[in-house]
Amino acid sequence: MPRFHRFALAFAVSTSLVAAGPALAKAKGANPAPIADLVKAVDIPYEAFTLDNGLRVIVHEDRKAPVVAVSVWYRVGSKHEPKGKTGFAHLFEHLMFNGSENSPGDFFEPLQQVGATDSNGTTNVDRTNYFETVPTGALDRALFLESDRMGHLLGAVTQEKLDNQRGVVQNEKRQGDNNPYGLLRYEIFENLFPTGHPYHHSTIGSMGDLNSASLGDVKKWFTDNYGPNNAVLVLAGDVNVATAKAKVQEWFGDIPRGPEIAAPKTSVPTLPAPLAKEVKDLVPTTRIYRMWAIPGLNDPEAVPLQMAMGVLGGLSSSRLDNALVRKDPVAVSVSAVAQPFEDAGILLVQADVKPGVDAKLVASRLDAEIASFLASGPTADELQRTAASYLAGTISGLESVGGFGGKAVTLAEGALYSNNPAYYKVELDRMAKATPEQVKAVANKWLSRPAFSLTYTPGERTEGGENRGGAVTEGKATEAVQPDRYWNEALGDVGPDTGGASSFADRSQLPAVADLKALDFPAIERTKLKNGVEVVFARRTTVPTVNVAVSFDAGYAADPHSALGTQSLMLSLMDEGTTSLDSIAFAEAKERLGAQIDATANADETVFSLFALKPNLGASLSLLADYIRNPAFDAQELDRVRAQQLNRLKAELNNPNAIASRILTPVLYGADHPYGIPPSGLGNAKSVTAVTRDQLAAFHAAWIRPDNARVFVVGDTTLAEVKKQLDATLGQWQAPATAKPVKHFDIAIPAPKPRILLFDRPKSPQSVILAGKVLDAKGGDELELLRSANDIFGGNFLSRFNTNLRETKGWSYGVRSRISADQDRLTWIAAAPVQADRTGDSIKELQSELKNFLGDKGVTKEELERTINGSVRELPGSFETSGDVLGGIRQIVKFARPDNYYETLPATYEAMTAAEIDAAGRKALSSDGLVYVVVGDAAVVKPQLDGLGLPVETVSLDN
């Protein structure tokens, strides 16, 4: 669902729900609480103070969990970079993680020791931020580390570190450029903003400027921009202002002010005339964009513009969806998003052409729908559903204090951009007061100007990204441009001149960790519905919301191998309405309730999820039950949904990571094993094209049945209350007389055949390497020792594998190894996206590191301590939200663990020895027996692979 430009809205509204809980509980039936009532109740209490050196500090007290979010925001982004120094803000963000004068090692080492969560740094056009959530007893350590790199950094910045992180950033750039639509960010900024405008270049910068960055350049960048008077520090969580004042003064008070920073001159440009451009890329179908520059986030018209884009192309029931995807399906997907930055913003409308339809026709229809919207404006109902959907799209993280979107972010952004930590209230007020007439007028003002029309067509690229700067991912946009991050998000990472500061805090050693509170996992309750379906429940009353997951023992492993992709197609078609609600009516019903209802699958489970506001829970559960039990399986909708899945499949076949996974998994398990299928579940074009409505209905009847289901509920209700509501919706559902189907995991897994499977992807600046094997272990086994061994080798940022290829050699933006979490036989897979000219060397390093780790260079004392401490101390922060708890309970049930499993984990970890971890790793893993997949430019890569001593087979997705 669409979101406003920042997470401020999500968390502001979440807090309003807390405050408004009793009043909201009065709402009945399908009549949701009015948006205006929610907005009036919004409040994120905070206190603020400023140190003598200009550091602005904001404190929000939230005692629900024993953690504190620490978030430091510097007013320096790519818009502050002068010509010839593009990418400096982001490059320096990387250097800030490589140690300071009094903590010279990697920044994440002492944080992992205390169990920090949500640790990262990001850079965008306007700012750079650094954040971590730590146990309350480790707050001094986090403040020591943040203050040391603010005031005591330059003595630790060396040419070696600069060269290393320059390589990491360049590989981050290559990784983004290597993806379909990877060069889009260049097109957006370079064409909407003229040369010389601070937003003309993208955050990641050009290769030339990154290569020319000298040690003197980056040190001057630090002294010019990283003073305390150019920063905001937010502490949110288990802390009060008195404690915060004492601690912040101790650690930051000695840092001298930096120079005053002059804001760059900016404007909101208008193109002098319509501009059109066509580019080629490895994309599944033609994509048509219409783009405009728009005002920044402080402009009163920013929120109405975002509301307009929700109606036009953000809602599931948007004008564009209804006209171009549903009623006359000439496009497979559409979207519209307005993303304001501080000084200006970007507005993108896009349509992906349905294969076989003339792109010119789609472009004409797209322009006609935009014109029609500008002529009519939105209705009051559309604005209400847009506002409710903004809540639904962001409220899932409403209990978080930090990370990428917690309450710390809301307060920091308001302070930094608007000089008002409570600026979210201004935005919410504008949202509540937005009228159809106002939104229409604002949309006409900004979209009636000349547009930049960009068309992506399938084909081989005619230019690369080496001399340009940026990357963006595919999908229905909620943000057109993402910030550049220190950790590689694609890998699952959710981590002499002293600058003049004379310290009066004791920086001779890391601050001791105070008493840490143990995890208090919510009590798990159980009952059964009238029809025997088990309900597993935990109560969380922090905010009046409820999460529900109805899980079926199916998953992609249930897909018939003669018709792979059946389940994905079935789930997509179920989104298009029930026997009583057509596609549009079903979408509108969800939006009015502010309910998120969707279906997902993994290898083992098919899950129908609901996120509901407490006052709307009854109506939302009724809608969920209708969705699960009574899908329409409309034949006309099937043709449209089939085209969408075929398009997603084509996109997957152009994505190097997806290609590698599609090749490796069937090779490891064998084509007949339930897990021996492409892991995305999208299947293959032949099967998806052939599957019929009757086949989908038969699959639903066979697998989606009450005697194959279990219901999980976490939130602000009681087991008795939710049982009554579930009995009225799902409890009436009776199982068919036929026997339940079974998945056949007894099929033999083939003996490993070590070799390298090479997939040629010409002109790829990076190679994607996967190496894997099937383990003699299942998901329900006791795996804590083996998973700890994997963490140390390659499972996290500080692992040996990542430290070698990223932090030491700079050949990659990040590498990892992982153990799957399936019910039956597990896999161990190492994943390494690396620069193309180091493909062979990277495989050698993987082999060498693994051989050493499993040989005479096992777990060290330091690695053991870090692993145990991190695993134990991160537990309280790992279950901060209701969604976290729901996921934990599902894992407990899936693997038949005791209800107190997570509370017993500390004792399990603390009893581990290095010898036990070594033994677990050596028993399960091996440097022999691995199958490798390499997706890259064969002309560059194959000569490197031929010398590795393994057979090299060139493969396609057909063989």
Side-chain angles (χ1 to χ4, degrees):
M1 284 296 165
R3 296 185 178 189
F4 279 142
H5 70 280
R6 318 185 249 150
F7 287 83
L9 178 67
F11 289 91
V13 171
S14 75
T15 309
S16 77
L17 296 175
V18 179
L24 295 184
K26 297 175 183 177
K28 299 292 183 182
N31 297 318
I35 296 296
D37 288 355
L38 296 177
V39 171
K40 289 176 185 176
V42 171
D43 189 32
I44 303 177
Y46 73 90
E47 294 185 68
F49 58 93
T50 302
L51 299 188
D52 291 343
N53 58 15
L55 177 65
R56 189 173 183 180
V57 185
I58 299 163
V59 183
H60 167 67
E61 189 173 346
D62 178 344
R63 301 289 189 178
K64 74 174 180 301
V67 295
V68 181
V70 179
S71 197
V72 186
W73 292 57
Y74 295 88
R75 184 184 286 281
V76 55
S78 56
K79 74 180 181 186
H80 299 92
E81 297 163 348
K83 183 179 179 181
K85 291 183 169 48
T86 64
F88 265 49
H90 179 233
L91 175 61
F92 207 88
E93 173 216 310
H94 277 245
L95 287 170
M96 288 277 277
F97 284 97
N98 269 218
S100 52
E101 292 162 10
N102 300 290
S103 183
D106 192 289
F107 187 83
F108 291 108
E109 170 71 36
L111 285 179
Q112 186 168 331
Q113 287 274 7
V114 300
T117 55
D118 292 326
S119 305
N120 213 325
T122 74
T123 307
N124 71 8
V125 293
D126 297 314
R127 55 89 187 131
T128 305
N129 66 356
Y130 305 87
F131 49 89
E132 57 274 340
T133 300
V134 298
T136 309
L139 179 56
D140 273 309
R141 179 167 293 192
L143 295 177
F144 162 85
L145 291 166
E146 290 291 0
S147 63
D148 210 57
R149 62 178 172 184
M150 179 187 286
H152 306 269
L153 181 83
L154 290 186
V157 178
T158 65
Q159 187 66 48
E160 180 183 11
K161 289 180 179 179
L162 171 60
D163 292 342
N164 168 262
Q165 289 305 312
R166 188 201 328 265
V168 172
V169 169
Q170 289 176 333
N171 275 299
E172 179 181 354
K173 174 180 168 62
R174 291 186 184 104
Q175 182 170 310
D177 291 351
N178 198 32
N179 287 320
Y181 305 104
L183 309 184
L184 175 62
R185 187 181 293 189
Y186 307 139
E187 303 296 348
I188 295 172
F189 287 109
E190 292 173 8
N191 289 287
L192 289 182
F193 299 97
T195 301
H197 192 285
Y199 288 169
H200 177 71
H201 67 274
S202 65
T203 304
I204 206 157
S206 73
M207 287 293 192
D209 287 354
L210 290 169
N211 280 326
S212 69
S214 70
L215 191 59
D217 287 336
V218 297
K219 287 189 173 185
K220 187 175 188 304
W221 183 262
F222 176 77
T223 56
D224 285 350
N225 294 287
Y226 273 80
N229 50 309
N230 200 40
V232 172
L233 166 64
V234 179
L235 303 179
D238 187 21
V239 64
N240 59 34
V241 72
T243 301
K245 279 184 177 180
K247 292 183 181 298
V248 173
Q249 179 62 40
E250 177 183 3
W251 294 112
F252 290 85
D254 67 312
I255 303 172
R257 295 178 70 94
E260 299 301 321
I261 308 297
K265 293 182 179 179
T266 60
S267 61
V268 182
T270 294
L271 294 174
L275 176 64
K277 182 176 181 179
E278 180 177 338
V279 297
K280 293 185 180 298
D281 201 353
L282 295 176
V283 296
T285 188
T286 299
R287 175 175 288 181
I288 300 163
Y289 286 101
R290 300 291 185 260
M291 307 185 195
W292 293 265
I294 58 171
L297 58 89
N298 289 305
D299 192 291
E301 295 181 340
V303 168
L305 261 180
Q306 291 169 90
M307 299 286 284
M309 291 307 98
V311 174
L312 178 62
L315 294 173
S316 176
S317 65
S318 74
R319 298 278 183 95
L320 293 177
D321 276 283
N322 289 346
L324 304 185
V325 180
R326 287 192 176 95
K327 295 178 180 178
D328 180 16
V330 296
V332 289
S333 66
V334 291
S335 73
V337 59
Q339 185 177 3
F341 305 114
E342 183 178 13
D343 301 311
I346 53 180
L347 189 153
L348 277 66
V349 181
Q350 75 181 54
D352 285 6
V353 175
K354 182 179 179 179
V357 177
D358 183 2
K360 291 182 179 178
L361 169 66
V362 180
S364 174
R365 290 289 313 280
L366 179 65
D367 291 333
E369 288 300 326
I370 295 172
S372 174
F373 172 70
L374 295 180
S376 68
T379 66
D381 183 58
E382 286 174 319
L383 291 182
Q384 186 277 334
R385 288 188 281 113
T386 299
S389 294
Y390 280 130
L391 307 183
T394 55
I395 206 168
S396 59
L398 58 88
E399 293 161 289
S400 298
V401 290
F404 285 108
K407 289 182 280 189
V409 173
T410 301
L411 298 172
E413 288 187 320
L416 197 71
Y417 299 146
S418 310
N419 196 32
N420 177 10
Y423 187 69
Y424 63 87
K425 291 190 175 186
V426 176
E427 295 176 303
L428 289 171
D429 184 63
R430 289 170 180 164
M431 181 188 74
K433 293 178 179 177
T435 64
E437 295 76 17
Q438 179 203 22
V439 172
K440 176 185 176 183
V442 169
N444 273 274
K445 175 179 176 180
W446 292 100
L447 272 69
S448 295
R449 300 174 304 144
F452 170 42
S453 299
L454 176 66
T455 303
Y456 262 87
T457 57
E460 191 170 297
R461 284 181 181 174
T462 57
E463 61 179 328
E466 292 292 301
N467 298 312
R468 305 174 76 183
V472 70
T473 56
E474 184 188 4
K476 184 151 183 171
T478 56
E479 285 185 312
V481 179
Q482 297 281 351
D484 291 305
R485 299 174 176 182
Y486 181 71
W487 271 11
N488 183 354
E489 185 184 26
L491 294 174
D493 297 325
V494 196
D497 179 3
T498 64
S502 58
S503 178
F504 55 73
D506 180 7
R507 297 183 182 272
S508 61
Q509 59 185 358
L510 284 170
V513 178
D515 291 339
L516 299 177
K517 297 178 182 178
L519 171 67
D520 181 15
F521 197 82
I524 297 175
E525 303 175 63
R526 287 175 169 81
T527 189
K528 287 190 176 180
L529 302 182
K530 293 177 182 178
N531 56 1
V533 173
E534 183 182 16
V535 179
V536 187
F537 173 82
R539 192 172 192 205
R540 288 288 292 253
T541 60
T542 306
V543 290
T545 61
V546 179
N547 290 270
V548 180
V550 184
S551 178
F552 294 83
D553 182 9
Y556 293 134
D559 246 9
H561 281 215
S562 60
L564 292 178
T566 295
Q567 183 171 199
S568 285
L569 193 60
M570 178 197 76
L571 296 179
S572 294
L573 189 55
M574 287 178 71
D575 285 336
E576 301 307 322
T578 71
T579 52
S580 59
L581 295 170
D582 68 15
S583 178
I584 295 174
F586 180 62
E588 290 180 349
K590 289 188 293 183
E591 291 160 0
R592 286 194 188 94
L593 291 168
Q596 296 177 24
I597 296 177
D598 54 45
T600 58
N602 56 36
D604 300 312
E605 302 156 292
T606 304
V607 183
F608 299 88
S609 300
L610 165 69
F611 178 85
L613 304 179
K614 179 180 179 179
N616 301 338
L617 179 59
S620 299
L621 282 172
S622 295
L623 198 59
L624 174 69
D626 192 30
Y627 172 58
I628 295 171
R629 295 178 57 183
N630 306 308
F633 290 136
D634 186 294
Q636 287 185 311
E637 299 286 3
L638 173 58
D639 291 338
R640 175 169 66 82
V641 169
R642 191 196 316 274
Q644 291 173 326
Q645 182 155 328
L646 289 170
N647 191 63
R648 289 198 300 274
L649 187 56
K650 286 178 69 176
E652 184 170 289
L653 301 184
N654 284 321
N655 183 291
N657 295 291
I659 291 169
S661 294
R662 288 185 71 92
I663 294 170
L664 181 61
T665 308
V667 168
L668 293 182
Y669 281 108
D672 295 328
H673 193 276
Y675 291 163
I677 62 175
S680 69
L682 290 177
N684 57 66
K686 182 179 178 181
S687 295
V688 173
T689 301
V691 73
T692 66
R693 180 201 180 278
D694 289 345
Q695 285 176 285
L696 298 180
F699 187 93
H700 181 275
W703 292 95
I704 310 304
R705 45 192 284 169
D707 56 346
N708 199 36
R710 186 179 274 114
V711 180
F712 299 87
V713 182
V714 176
D716 186 13
T717 183
T718 64
L719 182 59
E721 183 180 359
V722 80
K723 180 184 186 300
K724 181 179 178 182
Q725 293 170 316
L726 286 168
D727 266 332
T729 52
L730 291 173
Q732 313 296 326
W733 190 17
Q734 297 303 311
T738 55
K740 283 196 300 183
V742 295
K743 294 170 279 188
H744 297 285
F745 288 109
D746 53 353
I747 294 172
I749 292 171
K753 181 183 174 184
R755 62 202 189 276
I756 299 173
L757 305 175
L758 173 62
F759 181 94
D760 183 23
R761 191 171 184 269
K763 297 185 179 181
S764 295
Q766 270 197 337
S767 299
V768 171
I769 302 168
L770 294 186
K773 65 175 293 186
V774 179
L775 301 178
D776 187 18
K778 296 183 178 182
D781 295 345
E782 294 183 2
L783 298 171
E784 289 78 17
L785 286 167
L786 180 57
R787 292 194 183 277
S788 295
N790 180 67
D791 284 347
I792 292 166
F793 172 75
N796 60 44
F797 186 87
L798 295 172
S799 67
R800 294 187 185 184
F801 190 28
N802 190 66
T803 297
N804 184 350
L805 262 62
R806 171 177 161 143
E807 294 299 278
T808 301
K809 293 186 170 62
W811 296 347
S812 176
Y813 178 37
V815 299
R816 291 291 186 277
S817 63
R818 59 182 180 268
I819 297 170
S820 60
D822 301 325
Q823 203 147 17
D824 205 77
R825 291 284 293 277
L826 305 176
T827 55
W828 179 86
I829 292 176
V834 300
Q835 61 192 65
D837 62 348
R838 292 294 188 178
T839 306
D841 291 337
S842 297
I843 292 177
K844 289 179 184 177
E845 291 298 325
L846 168 60
Q847 294 170 335
S848 175
E849 285 282 2
L850 191 55
K851 185 176 181 179
N852 289 338
F853 179 66
L854 300 177
D856 59 1
K857 295 182 180 178
V859 177
T860 66
K861 178 182 177 182
E862 292 76 17
E863 289 171 332
L864 177 66
E865 179 186 38
R866 180 177 70 220
T867 299
I868 292 174
N869 285 344
S871 298
V872 171
R873 294 169 175 176
E874 73 181 6
L875 283 169
S878 298
F879 296 102
E880 184 188 2
T881 70
S882 297
D884 297 333
V885 172
L886 182 71
I889 294 175
R890 285 182 55 202
Q891 292 294 298
I892 285 173
V893 173
K894 178 177 180 177
F895 297 121
R897 291 169 175 156
D899 286 358
N900 65 344
Y901 169 73
Y902 292 108
E903 291 171 313
T904 65
L905 274 179
T908 302
Y909 289 128
E910 288 165 352
M912 288 180 180
T913 66
E916 289 174 327
I917 296 174
D918 284 338
R922 289 164 186 161
K923 179 181 178 182
L925 307 177
S926 171
S927 56
D928 303 320
L930 295 176
V931 177
Y932 295 84
V933 173
V934 176
V935 178
D937 188 335
V940 175
V941 169
K942 191 172 187 303
Q944 303 175 52
L945 303 180
D946 287 337
L948 295 177
L950 288 169
V952 179
E953 302 174 13
T954 300
V955 298
S956 69
L957 290 169
D958 298 322
N959 64 358

